[in-house]
Amino acid sequence: MSVAISGFYMALTAIMVVYFSLRVVLLRRKLKVGLGSGGHADITLANRVHGNLMENAPIAMGLLLMAELNGLAPLYLHLFGLSWLLGRTLHAIGLIQGKGGYHFGRFWGVLITWAVLIKLAVVNIAFFILQ
């Protein structure tokens, strides 16, 4: 069985991970900070954008992969994958623009991310129950 769809969204997520990590590295170089944030709010924020993605990506991508292996229709896999990317992008933009405070993108990004996680969990539980 091919897992090309989940692999595609894993690959796009990996690109986001590298991009967010690169933002941290560039800020550290610019501000001459070797490790941590050096007390700079911009580095702390960039770390959280990257860290939040890293905290959520493994479970989301694992659930997407399991749903594909269990035979979820490609349309639904793409809807979950696109929603995941939208949520993570909105969250990152909102966290950066809101400087860690409330922002439309951060709020909706988290809600979309949680919705994807919960719905994929339900899908995988349903596959288990119905097998």
Side-chain angles (χ1 to χ4, degrees):
M1 168 179 241
S2 171
V3 289
I5 295 171
S6 55
F8 174 70
Y9 291 104
M10 287 177 181
L12 293 176
T13 298
I15 291 168
M16 289 178 79
V17 167
V18 171
Y19 174 74
F20 292 159
S21 180
L22 179 61
R23 288 185 66 249
V24 174
V25 169
L26 293 175
L27 278 169
R28 283 185 179 152
R29 289 190 64 187
K30 176 183 172 185
L31 298 170
K32 299 183 184 345
V33 174
L35 185 63
S37 69
H40 296 280
D42 287 345
I43 296 176
T44 299
L45 196 56
N47 273 330
R48 284 313 309 142
V49 169
H50 177 258
N52 193 275
L53 176 63
M54 291 304 300
E55 292 159 7
N56 286 280
I59 190 69
M61 295 298 95
L63 286 168
L64 188 68
L65 175 61
M66 291 300 101
E68 186 167 13
L69 286 169
N70 283 321
L72 188 64
L75 172 66
Y76 295 112
L77 292 166
H78 283 295
L79 288 173
F80 281 127
L82 290 170
S83 296
W84 161 256
L85 293 175
L86 174 65
R88 294 290 76 209
T89 301
L90 282 173
H91 180 266
I93 291 168
L95 194 54
I96 294 164
Q97 289 182 355
K99 302 277 187 209
Y102 177 82
H103 186 278
F104 172 87
R106 184 179 183 190
F107 177 81
W108 283 102
V110 167
L111 285 182
I112 292 168
T113 297
W114 287 348
V116 168
L117 288 171
I118 290 174
K119 289 176 182 180
L120 277 170
V122 168
V123 163
N124 281 288
I125 290 168
F127 275 120
F128 173 78
I129 291 170
L130 299 173
Q131 68 175 332

